[in-house]
Amino acid sequence: MSREQNISKAIENIDTKSVILEIKDLRKSFGSNHVLNGFNLKLYEGENLVIMGKSGSGKSVMIKCLVGLLQADSGSIKIMGQEINTINQKDLNILRTEIGFLFQGSALYDSMTVRENLEFPLRRHKTRFKDATNMDELVTEALESVGLLHAIDLMPAELSGGMKRRIALARTLILKPKIILYDEPTSGLDPITSKEIIELMRSIQKKYKTSSLIITHDVDCARVVSERIILLVDGINYVEGTYSELSTSTDAQVKAFFK
Amino acid sequence: MSGSNGFKSFFIEIGELTLFAKRFFKELFSRPFEGKELLRQCYNIGNRSILLVAVTGFIIGLVITLQTRPTLEGFGAESWMPSMVSLSIIREIGPVIIALTFAGRIASGIGAELGSMRVTEQIDAMEVSGTNPFKFLVVTRIVAATLMLPLLVLLGDAIALSGSYLIENVKGEVSFVLYFNKVFKVLEFSDLIPATIKTFFFGFAIALVGCFKGYHCEKGTVGVGAAANSAVVFSSMLLFVIDFVAVFVTDIFFEL
Ligand SMILES: Nc1ncnc2c1ncn2[C@@H]1O[C@H](COP(=O)(O)OP(=O)(O)O)[C@@H](O)[C@H]1O
Ligand SMILES: [Mg+2]
C-alpha cells in the first residue's frame, strides 16, 4: 500500500474530532507482572498529550506497543486508521515512517557518526527516500532545526547528554513524521538543558505540525507542553484533564504527582 | 544458586541457544542480505584479532619447539622435529589455542557491544527505523566470524611454524628449505582439511554465543558485563565440546 493510500485511508477513518491514534483496552503482562490492565487513550491531530506515571508503571511498555516493539496481549491500537496488532511487517514498516520515536536514553548508534546516525533511517526506509542527493539536504535541515549542524562529523561519545538528546530528536524528525512519541525527553538532563529540550519540542511542534504523545514525570515539562494530561496508575488511565485541572485536584493519587 | 538449579539453567540455556541458532539459519537465507555490513564486520573482526593471533601463533611455535627438542634429542631424533611439531600445531594446538584467544577477544567484544546496544535501546531504534536488527547485527557477525576464524588460524599456523623454524635454525642449524621440506613431506590434506573444517565451527560457535548473550542482555550496566563475561566462558566450553566431536569424527573418517 502506498503512503498516499495510507493517508487517504486515514482520512476516511477520521471521526469528527480527527483522532490520529487510538488505544482501546490495552493489556500487557510479563508472566505474573500485569503491567497494563485495560489502558485507553485518544490522540487528536495536532495535539500535545502528556502521559504521567510513576517509574515502572508501564509507560515505556505502552508506547513500545504502539510501534510494534512489544506485542500487546489484547486490546486495539489504531494509528492513522491501521490496526497495529494485526498489521503485516511490510505495512508496519511503512507506518513507522509516519511515527517518530524519541528513546529515553537517546539511543544514538555508538559506532556511527552523527551524520550516519541521521542517514540510517533514510537509507533503511528505502521506499520513500531513494534519492541520495536529497539525503544531504534532509540531514542538514534536521540538524539545523535542533541547532547542531556543527556536530555533524562527531561521534556520539563526543557529545554531552543534552546534545545527544537533540541529535536523537533530529534523527526522529528526519522522516518528517506525523506523530512523535517522546519517552521521557528530559530524563537524565539538568534543569537548564531540560528547558532547552522543552523549547525545542514546542518549536518543532509549530514547524512540523506534528501530534505528540509525551511521556514524562517532569512536572515542568508537563506544564509547558501539555494540552491534556493522562495519569497512568495501576495499568489504567486513572484520570485525565488539563494541567490546571489536575494540579488543583484533591485526589491523593493525583496530588502526589504535582507536589 | 544451588547445584541442581545451576544444572537446570544450563540446559535451559542450551535450549535457548539452539533456538537462537535456528533463527540464525532462517534469517540467513531471507532477503535483504546486509552485504555491506557483512564486509564491515569481516574487517572489524579481522582487524581486532590479527595481532593477537600473530603473537599467539609465534609463541606457540617457540614454546612447543623449545619443549619438545630435549626429549627428541635424548633419542637422537632431532631430525624428526619439523614433522612432529608441524603435525601437532596444524592438527590441534594451532586451531584450539588460536580459537581460544579469538573467543576471549571476539565473543566478549560482541557480547558487550550488542549488550550495550540492547540496554540503551539502540536495537529498538534500529527496528523502528525499518531494519531487522537480527539480520543487521547478529547474522552479519556470525557469518563474518565463521569466515574469518579459519583464515586467522591458517595465518597463526604459518607464523607458529616460522617461530618453530627460528628455534631449529638457532639450535640445530637447520636451513629454511630443509625445515619446510620436512614439514610439507609429512603434512597431508588429511591433516589440514579436518583441522580447517573444525575452525569454521569454532568461529560460528564463538560468534553465536557472543551474539546470543548480547542480544538477550539484561537491563543495566551490570548486565552488559555479565553478557561479555559469560559469552567467553560459554563459548570456550563449547569449543572443547566441538573439538572433541571433531577429533572423534576425524578418527572415524580418516582412520588415523
Ligand atoms: N521486556 C520486558 N520483559 C519483562 N518485563 C518488562 C519488560 N519491559 C518492561 N518490563 C516490566 O514492565 C514494567 C513497566 O516498565 P516500563 O514500562 O519500562 O516502566 P516506565 O513506566 O518507568 O517506563 C516494569 O515492572 C518492568 O520490569
Ligand atoms: Mg520508561
Side-chain angles (χ1 to χ4, degrees), chain A residues 54-61 63-64 104 183-184 215 217, chain B residues 121:
Chain A
K54 279 191 296 198
S55 172
S57 59
K59 306 180 298 292
S60 297
V61 168
I63 55 170
K64 281 185 181 171
Q104 199 165 345
D183 193 354
E184 308 211 7
I215 286 178
H217 48 217
Chain B
E121 299 181 314

Side-chain angles (χ1 to χ4, degrees), chain A residues 21 74 85 113 128 136 138 144 171 181 186 195 220 223 243:
Chain A
L21 185 158
S74 70
N85 290 336
T113 64
R128 261 180 75 190
D136 270 346
L138 288 170
E144 267 170 355
R171 188 177 66 183
L181 310 174
T186 59
K195 279 215 177 70
D220 279 332
R223 181 169 47 79
Y243 180 84

Side-chain angles (χ1 to χ4, degrees), chain A:
Chain A
M1 202 185 284
S2 79
R3 186 178 168 226
E4 283 69 28
Q5 280 171 310
N6 277 335
I7 293 169
S8 63
K9 198 171 158 197
I11 291 168
E12 274 169 31
N13 281 297
I14 286 173
D15 62 22
T16 45
K17 274 169 117 183
S18 64
V19 175
I20 193 163
L21 185 158
E22 180 168 16
I23 302 176
K24 270 190 198 150
D25 198 29
L26 188 68
R27 284 164 199 276
K28 176 75 184 171
S29 308
F30 297 99
S32 62
N33 181 7
H34 302 288
V35 179
L36 297 175
N37 304 306
F39 184 76
N40 297 283
L41 74 73
K42 276 184 185 173
L43 177 69
Y44 298 103
E45 211 166 333
E47 178 191 37
N48 283 339
L49 174 59
V50 165
I51 313 282
M52 294 179 82
K54 279 191 296 198
S55 172
S57 59
K59 306 180 298 292
S60 297
V61 168
M62 189 267 294
I63 55 170
K64 281 185 181 171
C65 288
L66 297 184
V67 285
L69 284 173
L70 286 173
Q71 184 73 41
D73 297 337
S74 70
S76 130
I77 299 169
K78 266 203 174 134
I79 301 181
M80 299 169 75
Q82 300 203 65
E83 176 58 57
I84 300 299
N85 290 336
T86 55
I87 199 170
N88 67 37
Q89 188 66 39
K90 200 165 152 249
D91 288 340
L92 178 61
N93 274 338
I94 294 171
L95 188 61
R96 278 170 172 168
T97 66
E98 308 281 6
I99 309 168
F101 198 125
L102 184 71
F103 286 90
Q104 199 165 345
S106 302
L108 295 178
Y109 307 124
D110 293 328
S111 59
M112 303 181 197
T113 64
V114 167
R115 181 200 299 275
E116 287 163 343
N117 262 283
L118 267 68
E119 283 175 356
F120 194 86
L122 291 177
R123 290 185 195 283
R124 292 282 143 179
H125 288 297
K126 282 194 194 86
T127 42
R128 261 180 75 190
F129 302 94
K130 269 191 208 126
D131 196 356
T133 54
N134 200 7
M135 192 135 56
D136 270 346
E137 269 170 43
L138 288 170
V139 170
T140 309
E141 187 194 331
L143 281 176
E144 267 170 355
S145 61
V146 299
L148 280 177
L149 188 54
H150 59 277
I152 190 163
D153 290 316
L154 297 182
M155 298 299 284
E158 298 171 285
L159 306 173
S160 70
M163 287 165 90
K164 274 188 198 158
R165 203 60 56 88
R166 275 148 76 183
I167 299 292
L169 195 49
R171 188 177 66 183
T172 306
L173 288 176
I174 203 156
L175 296 174
K176 306 230 163 71
K178 294 261 182 311
I179 304 171
I180 302 186
L181 310 174
Y182 295 91
D183 193 354
E184 308 211 7
T186 59
S187 76
L189 301 178
D190 61 81
I192 296 169
T193 316
S194 296
K195 279 215 177 70
E196 285 173 17
I197 297 286
I198 293 169
E199 275 316 306
L200 200 54
M201 285 164 64
R202 278 160 56 107
S203 72
I204 282 162
Q205 169 80 14
K206 274 200 199 107
K207 187 172 165 195
Y208 292 87
K209 308 250 181 312
T210 51
S211 318
S212 311
L213 198 63
I214 301 142
I215 286 178
T216 188
H217 48 217
D218 178 348
V219 179
D220 279 332
C221 177
R223 181 169 47 79
V224 178
V225 297
S226 71
E227 281 146 24
R228 208 153 52 91
I229 300 176
I230 291 180
L231 289 193
L232 170 54
V233 178
D234 296 333
I236 57 163
N237 37 328
Y238 183 72
V239 68
E240 177 182 329
T242 63
Y243 180 84
S244 53
E245 283 165 14
L246 294 189
S247 59
T248 54
S249 165
T250 51
D251 186 307
Q253 292 256 39
V254 180
K255 265 174 140 172
F257 282 97
F258 294 92
K259 253 186 255 167

